[in-house]
Amino acid sequence: MCLGIPGQIVEITDADRLMAMADISGVRREVSVACVATPDLNDLLGEWALIHVGFAMSVIDADEAAKTLEALRGLGEAQETLEAMAEGTAALEGTQ
């Protein structure tokens, strides 16, 4: 399974190589925009894209980006809860 993380294109860093800077939840990463390139790369500025292993795979709207980011946050919280439950179970088993 592949997971794309929403990121906003904030800067074109190298038009010749089709590279741009994406802000992904406050972390900036250089990504290839070859898959979503338009004749004028500046058209991508401010757009949201699904980022996977350093590539902007598809452009998505801001609402879709927000929903995906919220779902990912929820998954992170669920994972933390599961880990805490496992630690609690291990602690109980260790005291018996």
Side-chain angles (χ1 to χ4, degrees), residues 24-91:
I24 305 164
S25 295
V27 177
R28 289 184 174 219
R29 300 272 184 204
E30 190 172 42
V31 299
S32 171
V33 292
C35 296
V36 296
T38 59
D40 182 357
L41 291 181
N42 289 315
D43 291 343
L44 293 174
L45 292 175
E47 292 288 341
W48 286 89
L50 287 178
I51 311 294
H52 177 68
V53 294
F55 290 86
M57 301 302 291
S58 63
V59 173
I60 60 174
D61 64 35
D63 186 51
E64 182 70 18
K67 288 177 183 176
T68 302
L69 288 169
E70 185 60 32
L72 291 171
R73 281 187 205 97
L75 287 173
E77 291 171 8
Q79 182 63 36
E80 289 173 7
T81 301
L82 289 172
E83 289 171 2
M85 289 171 62
E87 289 173 11
T89 300

Side-chain angles (χ1 to χ4, degrees), residues 6-29:
Q8 189 172 34
I9 307 299
V10 295
E11 178 186 351
I12 304 302
T13 56
D14 187 337
D16 293 334
R17 292 181 36 236
L18 300 175
M19 299 298 290
M21 189 64 64
D23 184 305
I24 305 164
S25 295
V27 177
R28 289 184 174 219
R29 300 272 184 204

